[in-house]
Each structure stands twice: as C-alpha cells, then as structure tokens.
Amino acid sequence: MTITNGRVPLDAPRPALRRGRLQDLPVEGGKHILLATPRGYCAGVDRAVLAVEKALEQYEGPIYVRKEIVHNKHVVSTLEEQGAIFVDEVEAVPEGARVIFSAHGVSPAVVQAAADRGLDAIDATCPLVTKVHREAVRFARDDFEILLVGHEGHEEVEGTAGHAPDRVTIVNNPDEADTVQVQNPDRLVWLSQTTLSVDETMETVRRLRARFPNLQDPPSDDICYATQNRQVAIKKVAPESDLVIIVGSANSSNSVRLVEVALEYGAKAAYRVDYSTEIQQEWLEGVRSIGVSSGASVPEGLVREVLAELEDAGYRDIREVRTAEEDLIFSLPKELRPSRNR
C-alpha cells in the first residue's frame, strides 16, 4: 500500500536499517497491520518545523530555538544537524541574535526577557495554543479564577499559566479535581492543555463540576483537533489489536496518551518507540494483529521504518483504518512569509 499521510519534511539521511533483525514466526490465522489514520504531523507541528527550516534558509548567522521546537527526538536532532541551536532559556542566546519560540508557546515573561536582550524573536507557537492563551487573558481580565487542566511542568502549561499567573491553578488529573481549592466558585472557568487525553480531561471536568456547579466551559474545545482525531483512530484500532505500537518521543504528551488510550480501549499490549529499531522480538510472540499510529510531532518517515521492520517479521498485510480527514494548514510566522513585493 502507498502511504500518503502528510509530507515528510525532514529528509536528512538516516543510518541504514539492519533489515532482517526481527524474525518471521508463524502465527495462527495470519498476520496483519491496522494502520491508524489520521496520525503523525498536525498543522501546528508542520508550521513550527517549517519555520525553523525556513529561518535556516533565509537568514545568515545562527538560529536559536528556545526549548525543543516540537517534542520529537528525531526532529530536533535533524534540525540540529541542519544548524539550529536549541537552548533551554533565552538567557542562553547571545544578545541581538535570532530566536524561535517553540510550538508549545511561551509566557509574556519569556517574550519580555527576549526583548530585554535585543533578540529578534520569531513566534512559532501553534495557533491553537495561542487561542488558549487569549482565553486565559480574557477570563483573568473578567475576574475569573482559571482551573487549567494539564500537566504541571509541561512547556505549554507553563506558557498558558504565565498569561494569567495570579488567576491560574493547575489541575493535573481527576484526583486533584477532588481537592483543589478556589476562592470564588461562582467566578470559575476551566481551560486545558491541548494535548491531553480527551476522556481523562472530561472526567476531570466532571469531578470539578460536581464540586463547583457554576464552573464555566471554555468558549470552544481546547484539546486540539489533531489530538482528538489520533485518539479516536486508536480507539477504533485498539480492540482489534494484539499489540499497538505508537511512534513518538517520551516527552510528547500526545504520544504517551495514545499508548494509554490503546490499552484502555482493548489492546492487549501497547508500546511507544522513537525508532523502529526499538521494537522487540518478544513483543511479537503470538501476535496476529498490530495497530500502528504516531503522535502529532512525528514525521511519517519514522512510521514507514516501523512498517518496514514489521514487514520483515511477516506483517505485510496493511489495512488502513481512517476515522477523519485533515486538511487544516496554518500560515508561517509573518517574518518567514514570502514578500508580496518580491
């Protein structure tokens, strides 16, 4: 089958795969792969990665990136090979240099710190994250307390909370919904990190509303379309899978959630891998059906490599399971768009 899901923007050569590493062991009833679609790159990730690539092409001098542009080991290492310099904070960027903010977004304090150093900043924040930032600012201005459902320490959560630091309380999971304290339960709204498990987020909100009946919803769904679509697809695949393999990095929230969703919805086993070479032979023992998907920051080429390794192990029948079509495209940051005068 020909895979046409998205473009493969990172075409730097990968080390040759050692084909034949996995054995083709007989399994009663034959073997097949259920390939979840949608999977891989979302519009926000595509925009952010392309922003770094375009900046490297367009500007002389070093291009710095605050934090990982997206949470994927291969993407970051490939961009480093192309010349991008990743730093933890803007204080590590030389004064007057050019810096790109990652897709996860930043707080106003980070923007100000960059300005104080005279940095030429390019904001590659996903527009869907920017939407949540604007909601936080508006609700804080209207004197609401904000319960931010998300994982404390995640870059996106830090950025959103930084837009209303005196009004935001982070709720990490449903259990914390039972204990979180608020000042005015009648002026209360919830927002969320965009890459969470839809089911867990709704359970958190259900338990919050049981304690705070006047809790308001955000004006629109904060969990991004791509996160939801990938979870819906894996829910369809999981019940029919003896094994699910998710391609994605350990610090990718949406990739980790896909493993959890696969197990919750019936997969007998599920694992996350950065690269196909991490697939273990013992995972495949007695496995007839393998579900395959990838997180929203994963280039399609890494999925192709997984399929190639599994082909060596006898999984040559690939059946696509499509649950949605995605055609959303975000324009590049204004600094990187082609000039109309050229």
Side-chain angles (χ1 to χ4, degrees), residues 121-164:
I122 298 173
D123 189 359
T125 301
C126 173
L128 299 180
V129 174
T130 300
K131 176 184 77 71
V132 181
H133 290 177
R134 290 171 178 162
E135 290 171 353
V137 170
R138 179 166 67 84
F139 282 113
R141 184 186 63 229
D142 292 343
D143 199 31
F144 278 82
E145 287 182 66
I146 300 165
L147 297 179
L148 177 57
V149 181
H151 299 139
E152 192 164 8
H154 190 281
E155 292 153 38
E156 181 187 327
V157 171
E158 290 178 349
T160 299
H163 279 76

Short mmCIF file of all heavy atoms in Angstrom, two decimals, residues 121-164:
data_model
loop_
_atom_site.label_atom_id
_atom_site.label_comp_id
_atom_site.label_asym_id
_atom_site.label_seq_id
_atom_site.Cartn_x
_atom_site.Cartn_y
_atom_site.Cartn_z
N ALA A 121 12.92 37.84 17.76
CA ALA A 121 12.14 36.65 18.09
C ALA A 121 11.12 36.34 17.01
O ALA A 121 10.43 37.23 16.50
CB ALA A 121 11.43 36.84 19.43
N ILE A 122 11.04 35.07 16.66
CA ILE A 122 10.03 34.55 15.75
C ILE A 122 9.15 33.59 16.54
O ILE A 122 9.65 32.64 17.15
CB ILE A 122 10.67 33.81 14.55
CG1 ILE A 122 11.54 34.78 13.74
CG2 ILE A 122 9.61 33.17 13.67
CD1 ILE A 122 12.35 34.11 12.64
N ASP A 123 7.86 33.84 16.55
CA ASP A 123 6.95 33.06 17.39
C ASP A 123 6.32 31.94 16.56
O ASP A 123 5.48 32.17 15.71
CB ASP A 123 5.86 33.96 17.97
CG ASP A 123 5.01 33.25 19.00
OD1 ASP A 123 5.25 32.06 19.27
OD2 ASP A 123 4.09 33.90 19.56
N ALA A 124 6.74 30.69 16.84
CA ALA A 124 6.18 29.53 16.14
C ALA A 124 5.13 28.81 16.98
O ALA A 124 4.83 27.64 16.74
CB ALA A 124 7.30 28.56 15.76
N THR A 125 4.56 29.49 17.96
CA THR A 125 3.52 28.89 18.79
C THR A 125 2.37 28.41 17.92
O THR A 125 1.91 29.12 17.02
CB THR A 125 2.98 29.92 19.81
OG1 THR A 125 4.04 30.38 20.63
CG2 THR A 125 1.89 29.31 20.67
N CYS A 126 1.88 27.20 18.19
CA CYS A 126 0.72 26.69 17.47
C CYS A 126 -0.45 27.65 17.67
O CYS A 126 -0.75 28.05 18.80
CB CYS A 126 0.35 25.31 17.99
SG CYS A 126 -1.20 24.66 17.31
N PRO A 127 -1.15 28.02 16.61
CA PRO A 127 -2.29 28.93 16.76
C PRO A 127 -3.37 28.42 17.71
O PRO A 127 -4.07 29.22 18.34
CB PRO A 127 -2.83 29.06 15.34
CG PRO A 127 -1.61 28.85 14.48
CD PRO A 127 -0.82 27.79 15.19
N LEU A 128 -3.49 27.10 17.86
CA LEU A 128 -4.48 26.57 18.79
C LEU A 128 -4.05 26.77 20.24
O LEU A 128 -4.89 26.93 21.13
CB LEU A 128 -4.72 25.08 18.51
CG LEU A 128 -5.26 24.77 17.10
CD1 LEU A 128 -5.46 23.28 16.92
CD2 LEU A 128 -6.55 25.53 16.83
N VAL A 129 -2.75 26.79 20.48
CA VAL A 129 -2.24 27.13 21.81
C VAL A 129 -2.43 28.63 22.07
O VAL A 129 -2.82 29.04 23.16
CB VAL A 129 -0.76 26.73 21.95
CG1 VAL A 129 -0.19 27.20 23.29
CG2 VAL A 129 -0.60 25.21 21.82
N THR A 130 -2.15 29.43 21.06
CA THR A 130 -2.36 30.87 21.19
C THR A 130 -3.81 31.18 21.55
O THR A 130 -4.10 32.09 22.33
CB THR A 130 -1.98 31.58 19.88
OG1 THR A 130 -0.60 31.34 19.60
CG2 THR A 130 -2.22 33.08 19.97
N LYS A 131 -4.73 30.41 21.00
CA LYS A 131 -6.16 30.59 21.33
C LYS A 131 -6.39 30.41 22.83
O LYS A 131 -7.12 31.19 23.46
CB LYS A 131 -7.01 29.59 20.54
CG LYS A 131 -8.49 29.63 20.89
CD LYS A 131 -9.25 28.54 20.15
CE LYS A 131 -9.06 27.18 20.77
NZ LYS A 131 -9.74 27.04 22.09
N VAL A 132 -5.75 29.39 23.43
CA VAL A 132 -5.92 29.16 24.86
C VAL A 132 -5.29 30.30 25.66
O VAL A 132 -5.83 30.74 26.68
CB VAL A 132 -5.31 27.80 25.26
CG1 VAL A 132 -5.51 27.54 26.76
CG2 VAL A 132 -5.93 26.66 24.44
N HIS A 133 -4.14 30.82 25.17
CA HIS A 133 -3.52 31.98 25.83
C HIS A 133 -4.51 33.15 25.87
O HIS A 133 -4.66 33.82 26.92
CB HIS A 133 -2.27 32.41 25.06
CG HIS A 133 -1.13 31.46 25.17
ND1 HIS A 133 0.06 31.65 24.50
CD2 HIS A 133 -0.99 30.29 25.86
CE1 HIS A 133 0.88 30.66 24.79
NE2 HIS A 133 0.26 29.82 25.59
N ARG A 134 -5.16 33.41 24.78
CA ARG A 134 -6.09 34.54 24.71
C ARG A 134 -7.28 34.32 25.64
O ARG A 134 -7.78 35.27 26.26
CB ARG A 134 -6.56 34.74 23.28
CG ARG A 134 -5.45 35.28 22.37
CD ARG A 134 -5.88 35.27 20.91
NE ARG A 134 -4.84 35.83 20.05
CZ ARG A 134 -4.78 35.63 18.75
NH1 ARG A 134 -5.71 34.91 18.14
NH2 ARG A 134 -3.81 36.17 18.04
N GLU A 135 -7.74 33.07 25.74
CA GLU A 135 -8.83 32.77 26.67
C GLU A 135 -8.39 33.06 28.10
O GLU A 135 -9.16 33.63 28.89
CB GLU A 135 -9.24 31.30 26.51
CG GLU A 135 -9.94 30.98 25.20
CD GLU A 135 -10.14 29.50 24.98
OE1 GLU A 135 -9.62 28.68 25.78
OE2 GLU A 135 -10.81 29.13 24.00
N ALA A 136 -7.17 32.65 28.45
CA ALA A 136 -6.67 32.89 29.81
C ALA A 136 -6.63 34.38 30.12
O ALA A 136 -7.05 34.82 31.20
CB ALA A 136 -5.29 32.27 29.98
N VAL A 137 -6.15 35.17 29.18
CA VAL A 137 -6.06 36.61 29.38
C VAL A 137 -7.45 37.21 29.56
O VAL A 137 -7.69 38.04 30.45
CB VAL A 137 -5.33 37.27 28.19
CG1 VAL A 137 -5.44 38.79 28.27
CG2 VAL A 137 -3.86 36.85 28.16
N ARG A 138 -8.38 36.80 28.72
CA ARG A 138 -9.73 37.36 28.77
C ARG A 138 -10.44 37.01 30.08
O ARG A 138 -11.05 37.87 30.72
CB ARG A 138 -10.55 36.88 27.58
CG ARG A 138 -11.98 37.41 27.58
CD ARG A 138 -12.65 37.21 26.24
NE ARG A 138 -12.88 35.81 25.94
CZ ARG A 138 -13.94 35.11 26.38
NH1 ARG A 138 -14.84 35.70 27.17
NH2 ARG A 138 -14.11 33.87 26.04
N PHE A 139 -10.36 35.75 30.48
CA PHE A 139 -11.05 35.34 31.70
C PHE A 139 -10.41 35.99 32.94
O PHE A 139 -11.11 36.36 33.89
CB PHE A 139 -11.08 33.83 31.83
CG PHE A 139 -12.12 33.17 30.96
CD1 PHE A 139 -11.74 32.38 29.90
CD2 PHE A 139 -13.47 33.38 31.20
CE1 PHE A 139 -12.69 31.78 29.08
CE2 PHE A 139 -14.43 32.79 30.39
CZ PHE A 139 -14.05 31.99 29.33
N ALA A 140 -9.10 36.13 32.93
CA ALA A 140 -8.43 36.81 34.05
C ALA A 140 -8.87 38.27 34.11
O ALA A 140 -9.13 38.82 35.20
CB ALA A 140 -6.92 36.70 33.91
N ARG A 141 -8.97 38.92 32.97
CA ARG A 141 -9.40 40.31 32.91
C ARG A 141 -10.83 40.46 33.44
O ARG A 141 -11.18 41.47 34.05
CB ARG A 141 -9.32 40.81 31.47
CG ARG A 141 -9.67 42.29 31.29
CD ARG A 141 -9.72 42.66 29.82
NE ARG A 141 -10.76 41.92 29.13
CZ ARG A 141 -10.58 41.26 27.98
NH1 ARG A 141 -9.41 41.23 27.39
NH2 ARG A 141 -11.59 40.62 27.41
N ASP A 142 -11.66 39.41 33.20
CA ASP A 142 -13.05 39.46 33.65
C ASP A 142 -13.22 38.92 35.07
O ASP A 142 -14.34 38.60 35.49
CB ASP A 142 -13.93 38.65 32.68
CG ASP A 142 -14.03 39.32 31.32
OD1 ASP A 142 -13.71 40.52 31.21
OD2 ASP A 142 -14.40 38.64 30.35
N ASP A 143 -12.10 38.78 35.78
CA ASP A 143 -12.11 38.43 37.20
C ASP A 143 -12.60 37.00 37.45
O ASP A 143 -13.26 36.72 38.45
CB ASP A 143 -12.95 39.42 38.01
CG ASP A 143 -12.61 39.38 39.49
OD1 ASP A 143 -11.44 39.10 39.82
OD2 ASP A 143 -13.52 39.59 40.32
N PHE A 144 -12.24 36.09 36.57
CA PHE A 144 -12.49 34.68 36.78
C PHE A 144 -11.25 34.00 37.35
O PHE A 144 -10.12 34.37 37.01
CB PHE A 144 -12.84 33.98 35.47
CG PHE A 144 -14.28 34.11 35.05
CD1 PHE A 144 -14.72 35.25 34.40
CD2 PHE A 144 -15.20 33.10 35.31
CE1 PHE A 144 -16.04 35.38 33.99
CE2 PHE A 144 -16.51 33.23 34.92
CZ PHE A 144 -16.93 34.36 34.26
N GLU A 145 -11.45 33.01 38.20
CA GLU A 145 -10.38 32.07 38.51
C GLU A 145 -10.36 31.02 37.40
O GLU A 145 -11.42 30.61 36.89
CB GLU A 145 -10.63 31.38 39.84
CG GLU A 145 -10.42 32.25 41.06
CD GLU A 145 -10.64 31.46 42.33
OE1 GLU A 145 -9.84 30.54 42.61
OE2 GLU A 145 -11.61 31.75 43.04
N ILE A 146 -9.16 30.56 37.05
CA ILE A 146 -9.00 29.62 35.94
C ILE A 146 -8.40 28.32 36.48
O ILE A 146 -7.33 28.32 37.08
CB ILE A 146 -8.07 30.20 34.86
CG1 ILE A 146 -8.66 31.50 34.30
CG2 ILE A 146 -7.84 29.19 33.75
CD1 ILE A 146 -7.66 32.32 33.49
N LEU A 147 -9.12 27.24 36.27
CA LEU A 147 -8.59 25.91 36.57
C LEU A 147 -8.04 25.35 35.27
O LEU A 147 -8.79 25.07 34.32
CB LEU A 147 -9.68 25.01 37.14
CG LEU A 147 -10.27 25.46 38.48
CD1 LEU A 147 -11.36 24.51 38.95
CD2 LEU A 147 -9.17 25.59 39.54
N LEU A 148 -6.72 25.24 35.19
CA LEU A 148 -6.05 24.80 33.97
C LEU A 148 -5.77 23.31 34.08
O LEU A 148 -4.91 22.87 34.86
CB LEU A 148 -4.75 25.59 33.77
CG LEU A 148 -3.89 25.21 32.56
CD1 LEU A 148 -4.67 25.32 31.26
CD2 LEU A 148 -2.63 26.08 32.51
N VAL A 149 -6.50 22.51 33.32
CA VAL A 149 -6.32 21.07 33.33
C VAL A 149 -5.11 20.75 32.45
O VAL A 149 -5.11 21.01 31.25
CB VAL A 149 -7.58 20.35 32.81
CG1 VAL A 149 -7.38 18.83 32.85
CG2 VAL A 149 -8.80 20.75 33.62
N GLY A 150 -4.07 20.22 33.07
CA GLY A 150 -2.84 19.95 32.32
C GLY A 150 -1.77 19.43 33.24
O GLY A 150 -1.97 19.31 34.45
N HIS A 151 -0.62 19.15 32.66
CA HIS A 151 0.48 18.56 33.41
C HIS A 151 1.46 19.64 33.83
O HIS A 151 2.10 20.28 32.98
CB HIS A 151 1.17 17.49 32.55
CG HIS A 151 0.25 16.37 32.18
ND1 HIS A 151 0.24 15.80 30.93
CD2 HIS A 151 -0.72 15.73 32.90
CE1 HIS A 151 -0.67 14.85 30.89
NE2 HIS A 151 -1.26 14.79 32.07
N GLU A 152 1.57 19.84 35.13
CA GLU A 152 2.47 20.85 35.66
C GLU A 152 3.89 20.57 35.20
O GLU A 152 4.36 19.43 35.24
CB GLU A 152 2.40 20.85 37.18
CG GLU A 152 3.08 22.04 37.82
CD GLU A 152 2.68 22.23 39.27
OE1 GLU A 152 1.99 21.35 39.81
OE2 GLU A 152 3.06 23.27 39.85
N GLY A 153 4.59 21.61 34.73
CA GLY A 153 5.94 21.46 34.22
C GLY A 153 6.01 21.31 32.71
O GLY A 153 7.08 21.52 32.12
N HIS A 154 4.90 20.95 32.06
CA HIS A 154 4.88 20.90 30.60
C HIS A 154 5.00 22.32 30.06
O HIS A 154 4.42 23.26 30.59
CB HIS A 154 3.59 20.25 30.11
CG HIS A 154 3.58 19.93 28.65
ND1 HIS A 154 3.34 20.89 27.69
CD2 HIS A 154 3.78 18.77 27.99
CE1 HIS A 154 3.39 20.32 26.49
NE2 HIS A 154 3.66 19.04 26.64
N GLU A 155 5.77 22.48 28.99
CA GLU A 155 6.03 23.81 28.45
C GLU A 155 4.76 24.55 28.07
O GLU A 155 4.64 25.77 28.27
CB GLU A 155 6.97 23.71 27.25
CG GLU A 155 8.38 23.25 27.61
CD GLU A 155 9.07 22.56 26.47
OE1 GLU A 155 8.90 22.99 25.32
OE2 GLU A 155 9.79 21.57 26.73
N GLU A 156 3.80 23.84 27.50
CA GLU A 156 2.56 24.50 27.11
C GLU A 156 1.81 25.02 28.33
O GLU A 156 1.29 26.14 28.33
CB GLU A 156 1.67 23.55 26.32
CG GLU A 156 0.37 24.21 25.87
CD GLU A 156 -0.61 23.25 25.24
OE1 GLU A 156 -0.17 22.28 24.58
OE2 GLU A 156 -1.82 23.47 25.42
N VAL A 157 1.77 24.23 29.39
CA VAL A 157 1.08 24.65 30.61
C VAL A 157 1.78 25.84 31.24
O VAL A 157 1.13 26.80 31.70
CB VAL A 157 1.00 23.46 31.59
CG1 VAL A 157 0.48 23.92 32.95
CG2 VAL A 157 0.09 22.38 31.02
N GLU A 158 3.10 25.82 31.26
CA GLU A 158 3.85 26.96 31.80
C GLU A 158 3.55 28.22 31.01
O GLU A 158 3.38 29.31 31.59
CB GLU A 158 5.35 26.66 31.76
CG GLU A 158 5.79 25.58 32.75
CD GLU A 158 7.27 25.29 32.65
OE1 GLU A 158 7.92 25.75 31.68
OE2 GLU A 158 7.79 24.59 33.54
N GLY A 159 3.48 28.10 29.69
CA GLY A 159 3.19 29.27 28.86
C GLY A 159 1.80 29.82 29.09
O GLY A 159 1.60 31.03 29.24
N THR A 160 0.80 28.93 29.15
CA THR A 160 -0.58 29.37 29.36
C THR A 160 -0.74 29.99 30.74
O THR A 160 -1.33 31.07 30.89
CB THR A 160 -1.55 28.19 29.19
OG1 THR A 160 -1.44 27.68 27.86
CG2 THR A 160 -2.98 28.62 29.44
N ALA A 161 -0.22 29.31 31.77
CA ALA A 161 -0.33 29.85 33.13
C ALA A 161 0.35 31.20 33.24
O ALA A 161 -0.10 32.08 33.99
CB ALA A 161 0.28 28.86 34.13
N GLY A 162 1.42 31.41 32.48
CA GLY A 162 2.15 32.66 32.53
C GLY A 162 1.39 33.85 31.99
O GLY A 162 1.77 35.00 32.23
N HIS A 163 0.30 33.60 31.27
CA HIS A 163 -0.52 34.70 30.76
C HIS A 163 -1.50 35.21 31.81
O HIS A 163 -2.10 36.28 31.62
CB HIS A 163 -1.28 34.25 29.51
CG HIS A 163 -0.45 34.31 28.26
ND1 HIS A 163 0.51 33.38 27.96
CD2 HIS A 163 -0.42 35.21 27.25
CE1 HIS A 163 1.09 33.69 26.81
NE2 HIS A 163 0.55 34.80 26.37
N ALA A 164 -1.70 34.45 32.89
CA ALA A 164 -2.56 34.90 33.98
C ALA A 164 -2.08 34.27 35.27
O ALA A 164 -2.80 33.52 35.92
CB ALA A 164 -4.01 34.52 33.69
#
